[in-house]
Each structure stands twice: as C-alpha cells, then as structure tokens.
Amino acid sequence: MQPSFWHEKWDAQQIGFHLDAVNPLLVKFWSQLGLNPTRKVLVPLCGKSLDMCFLAEQGHDVVGCELNELAVKQFYQENGLPLEVSQVGEHQKFSTEQVTIYQGDIFTLDALTLPNIEAFYDRAALIAWPEDMRIAYAKQLAKLIPANSVGLLIILDYPQAELNGPPFAVSDDWINANLSDDFEIECLASEDVLSDNPRFVKKQVSWLTESVYKLTRKV
Ligand SMILES: C[S@@+](CC[C@H](N)C(=O)[O-])C[C@H]1O[C@@H](n2cnc3c(N)ncnc32)[C@H](O)[C@@H]1O
C-alpha cells in the first residue's frame, strides 16, 4: 500500500486493525519461543499496538517502526508514557524507558540503527502488504534482524478474490515458498476464525484461518 493510504486511515481513525487489548495469540504463544527477557524485540509496522506493552511487561526492550506520526504519539499518550523525541537519519525516534519507536518508512531503516535486536513480532505487518510488495517487506525484515533471532508471525488466509485487503491473504504455501531462504519455519497453530470477524462474515467470505508461526532467522 502507498503511505498515503495509511496516513488517511490514521487521520480518519479508521483503524479497525487496532485491538483494544493485547492480542490473545501473543499471550498464548510468546512463551513458547523460550526467549530470555533480555532479548530486544523488533515490532515492524507497530501502529499503536498494546502488544508492545505486553512485550515490555515480559521484560523485553521493544523497538517499533511505524510510518504514521499520529499513531506513534497516540501510543505514548494513551499509555501515559513520558516521551523523548530525536531525529535519527530520516526517522523520528520516540522513546520511553522500554519502548522506542522509529517513525518513518521501514524500508529506509537499517540494521545499524537497530543494535542488539534478537527477536521480533509481526502481527498485521506481513499481511498489510499486497502480494507485489510482500517479498520486499520480508527481505527487509530479514535484513533488520541478525542470525538466530526468533520471532512470532501471525497471518490470515482466505480466498483473496472474495475480499479486498488489507489484510491480505497469505497462505502456508506462500510462507514456505518465500520465507524459507531466510528463516526456519514452524507452524505453531492454525484456526478457523471466520465467526470472530464480522467484516469477513458480512462480505460472505467462505473461510478464514489465522495461523501462528515461529520463525528463526537462519545464519
Ligand atoms: C495493519 S496495521 C498493523 C498495526 C499493528 N501491527 C497492529 O497490530 O495493530 C499496519 C501499520 O503499518 C504502518 N505502515 C504501513 N506502511 C509502512 C511502512 N512502509 N513503514 C512503517 N510502517 C508502515 C501503517 O501506518 C499501519 O499502522
């Protein structure tokens, strides 16, 4: 999607993707990654997700990247977090004790700006990209995280012809075909979630599954 698409959504606060609670799949599966809380976690395309608060509560330092400035400001304001702002290259760096967010394009971030990342969490980031941008995003994610970093990836799959994304449908086959050069892939769970998603039910989408993967960046 073009940046203007997301800026318009944030300006109009049409942010149906945002959850008012921590994602239950994160709560359920994060501990299965077996990560030491000293590991710093990258959250690409973070929005103002409360999942960053959950990760910080587990002891992790969290580094997000988000295009839209209002989203970033709302994250800190709504969670009552004091804020420092500085400029790092093309990005504004917003930080509080455990959560830093680079506001700007993920494609212009570089690994040198993100020292000591050892884990990542992708919810509604990979599936935010249409097919023609998805591989480029996955390659950029792989560039930003060092070998042996472990992450949780949550995706949705459904018959793409029955609904316009985002979120875009991503299949298990796509994951295995396109991520296996850079990641070890383990599917932790896959569930039918159609009845929990009124937008999909209303559009008469015939099926909808949500899957959770553990990804490990290959050496
Ligand atoms: C579907 S939302 C998901 C947000 C968050 N992960 C969540 O679970 O609520 C995708 C987010 O990615 C941001 N975004 C889109 N393109 C981006 C880019 N090139 N770089 C950084 N963030 C981007 C959008 O502004 C939007 O907030």
Side-chain angles (χ1 to χ4, degrees):
M1 309 306 290
Q2 292 304 311
S4 57
F5 171 88
W6 293 108
H7 291 314
E8 281 163 22
K9 292 288 177 206
W10 279 104
D11 284 349
Q13 290 287 286
Q14 288 171 353
I15 48 171
F17 53 80
H18 176 73
L19 302 178
D20 288 329
V22 177
N23 189 308
L25 294 173
L26 173 63
V27 177
K28 185 168 177 188
F29 288 104
W30 188 253
S31 62
Q32 287 196 23
L33 303 188
L35 293 177
N36 189 307
T38 56
R39 286 206 178 196
K40 194 184 272 189
V41 183
L42 176 65
V43 183
L45 279 64
C46 60
K48 59 172 184 174
S49 173
L50 294 174
D51 298 350
M52 292 187 281
C53 299
F54 172 84
L55 291 167
E57 280 160 15
Q58 308 314 299
H60 297 288
D61 280 346
V62 178
V63 180
C65 177
E66 166 55 49
L67 190 63
N68 185 269
E69 185 173 352
L70 178 62
V72 178
K73 288 186 168 162
Q74 285 185 346
F75 172 77
Y76 289 98
Q77 273 163 11
E78 290 173 7
N79 292 293
L81 298 168
L83 185 59
E84 281 180 21
V85 187
S86 59
Q87 192 73 30
V88 178
E90 287 183 23
H91 294 79
Q92 280 195 95
K93 179 182 179 186
F94 291 75
S95 35
T96 195
E97 200 179 338
Q98 265 181 283
V99 183
T100 297
I101 300 179
Y102 289 89
Q103 184 259 313
D105 187 354
I106 190 143
F107 285 103
T108 56
L109 259 191
D110 63 52
L112 293 176
T113 311
L114 306 176
N116 309 321
I117 294 291
E118 290 181 298
F120 62 99
Y121 171 64
D122 178 319
R123 183 259 171 190
L126 184 75
I127 61 174
W129 301 101
E131 171 105 53
D132 60 345
M133 287 295 295
R134 198 176 302 136
I135 292 178
Y137 163 76
K139 285 284 169 201
Q140 177 65 1
L141 177 62
K143 265 196 215 162
L144 292 175
I145 52 175
N148 298 317
S149 296
V150 178
L152 204 64
L153 167 69
I154 301 174
I155 60 166
L156 291 171
D157 192 18
Y158 60 91
Q160 187 66 82
E162 294 180 7
L163 187 99
N164 292 327
F168 293 97
V170 176
S171 67
D172 189 59
D173 285 349
W174 190 95
I175 295 287
N176 286 304
N178 293 286
L179 300 188
S180 54
D181 282 353
D182 292 322
F183 297 96
E184 305 286 351
I185 301 166
E186 182 187 350
C187 185
L188 301 177
S190 196
E191 270 183 27
D192 171 0
V193 291
L194 184 57
S195 58
D196 303 333
N197 287 274
R199 178 180 164 211
F200 288 76
V201 173
K202 204 168 152 197
K203 294 277 181 185
Q204 299 183 316
V205 173
S206 31
W207 54 268
L208 176 67
T209 56
E210 189 165 43
S211 301
V212 185
Y213 292 84
K214 175 181 176 180
L215 300 183
T216 307
R217 180 77 171 91
K218 286 182 176 173
V219 177

